[in-house]
Amino acid sequence: MQQSNTRKLVESALMIALATVLSLLKLADLPYGGSVTLASMLPIILISYRNGLGWGLGTGLAYAVLQQILGLKNLTYVTGAPSVIAVIFLDYLLAFTVIGLAGMFRRVIRDQGASLAAGTGVVCVLRYICHVISGATVWAGLSIPTAGAIGYSLIYNATYMIPETIVTVLAAFYIGSLIDFREEQLKRITRPVSGNTTTALLGGGAALLIVAGLIYDVVSVFANLQDGETGEFNITLLGDAGVYFWIRIAVVTVIVIAAAVALLLIRRMVATKNTASEEPTDDSSLDA
């Protein structure tokens, strides 16, 4: 029991550190505020799924405290003790602690990848709600207009939380399909399909390419949807992105799809060759 708790403590500490580093690796910094990170919530999500909601919430709280320390400058924008306390609680302590609930579907959804993706989606919505409430109350009259503060906060926070959610859900589903986090010792998930290590790597590489391509497209598009002067979601800004922006998106998408298809075709060829080599030879004519 003590050995198990030690493992959980070590894993939680490592995952908090990893999540903090990933939070600094931003895929996009939106012009008026907010950012899309490299799936920075995923390590806390994995702890919640692997070790239970109790450990998940504790790990999420520790991560929230670190995020608050990194975001201390944001407290200088609000005045008065009640506002400072509200920002600390809503934008940090509560918003990041709820990530620890991501393992809620472990016993409900059998497929690990789907379970992680579903839990990730729920906690991202909960975090979004925390930021929306903070924006509509504490930040109203500061960075958010007082008039229509709720609607503005809903839109403003969606500009970075939607792509952050998509990135994290994709990452959670992908890694959840590769590694079994339910066992004491982490191990690769084996599936009842024909093939060997080579075919598995080719299939995994194709899936990784598709996920990376989707993340690139989502982040690129949403980075151009926030008005730099008001912070509002403005889809017409995509029209001002320029023809080279869309060419870049198209080229990356085509390259990713082509590379993924090529890997899958090679995988199929290797699997067919392996199957043919494993078929028993008919030696009846030799016996005659």
Side-chain angles (χ1 to χ4, degrees), residues 131-148:
H131 293 315
V132 168
I133 294 174
S134 175
T137 55
V138 182
W139 296 101
L142 296 174
S143 61
I144 289 180
T146 304

Side-chain angles (χ1 to χ4, degrees), residues 159-241:
T159 57
Y160 66 90
M161 278 306 301
I162 289 178
E164 181 80 7
T165 298
I166 294 173
V167 169
T168 312
V169 166
L170 288 173
F173 181 80
Y174 180 74
I175 196 169
S177 301
L178 293 179
I179 302 173
D180 192 345
F181 293 98
R182 293 162 293 193
E183 299 292 334
E184 187 77 11
Q185 296 294 326
L186 296 179
K187 63 180 183 180
R188 181 183 166 194
I189 294 177
T190 56
R191 300 186 182 279
V193 296
S194 60
N196 52 22
T197 303
T198 302
T199 57
L201 288 174
L202 289 169
L208 182 59
L209 275 174
I210 293 172
V211 170
L214 283 171
I215 290 174
Y216 177 83
D217 288 347
V218 168
V219 171
S220 297
V221 169
F222 272 86
N224 285 274
L225 288 177
Q226 191 185 87
D227 193 306
E229 296 181 358
T230 67
E232 290 184 322
F233 178 90
N234 187 352
I235 197 170
T236 61
L237 292 174
L238 289 177
D240 301 328

Side-chain angles (χ1 to χ4, degrees), residues 64-217:
V65 171
L66 283 176
Q67 287 300 301
Q68 172 61 87
I69 294 173
L70 292 174
L72 280 176
K73 68 175 183 178
N74 291 327
L75 299 180
T76 63
Y77 302 135
V78 295
T79 57
S83 295
V84 170
I85 293 173
V87 169
I88 292 174
F89 181 71
L90 289 170
D91 279 328
Y92 292 96
L93 295 185
L94 186 58
F96 290 98
T97 299
V98 296
I99 301 172
L101 295 172
M104 65 178 71
F105 295 115
R106 173 171 173 165
R107 300 184 185 280
V108 179
I109 301 176
R110 188 171 183 178
D111 182 82
Q112 183 181 255
S115 178
L116 279 168
T120 298
V122 171
V123 298
C124 284
V125 171
L126 292 176
R127 178 186 163 187
Y128 169 66
I129 291 172
C130 291
H131 293 315
V132 168
I133 294 174
S134 175
T137 55
V138 182
W139 296 101
L142 296 174
S143 61
I144 289 180
T146 304
I150 294 179
Y152 186 101
S153 185
L154 284 167
I155 295 173
Y156 164 70
N157 287 289
T159 57
Y160 66 90
M161 278 306 301
I162 289 178
E164 181 80 7
T165 298
I166 294 173
V167 169
T168 312
V169 166
L170 288 173
F173 181 80
Y174 180 74
I175 196 169
S177 301
L178 293 179
I179 302 173
D180 192 345
F181 293 98
R182 293 162 293 193
E183 299 292 334
E184 187 77 11
Q185 296 294 326
L186 296 179
K187 63 180 183 180
R188 181 183 166 194
I189 294 177
T190 56
R191 300 186 182 279
V193 296
S194 60
N196 52 22
T197 303
T198 302
T199 57
L201 288 174
L202 289 169
L208 182 59
L209 275 174
I210 293 172
V211 170
L214 283 171
I215 290 174
Y216 177 83
D217 288 347

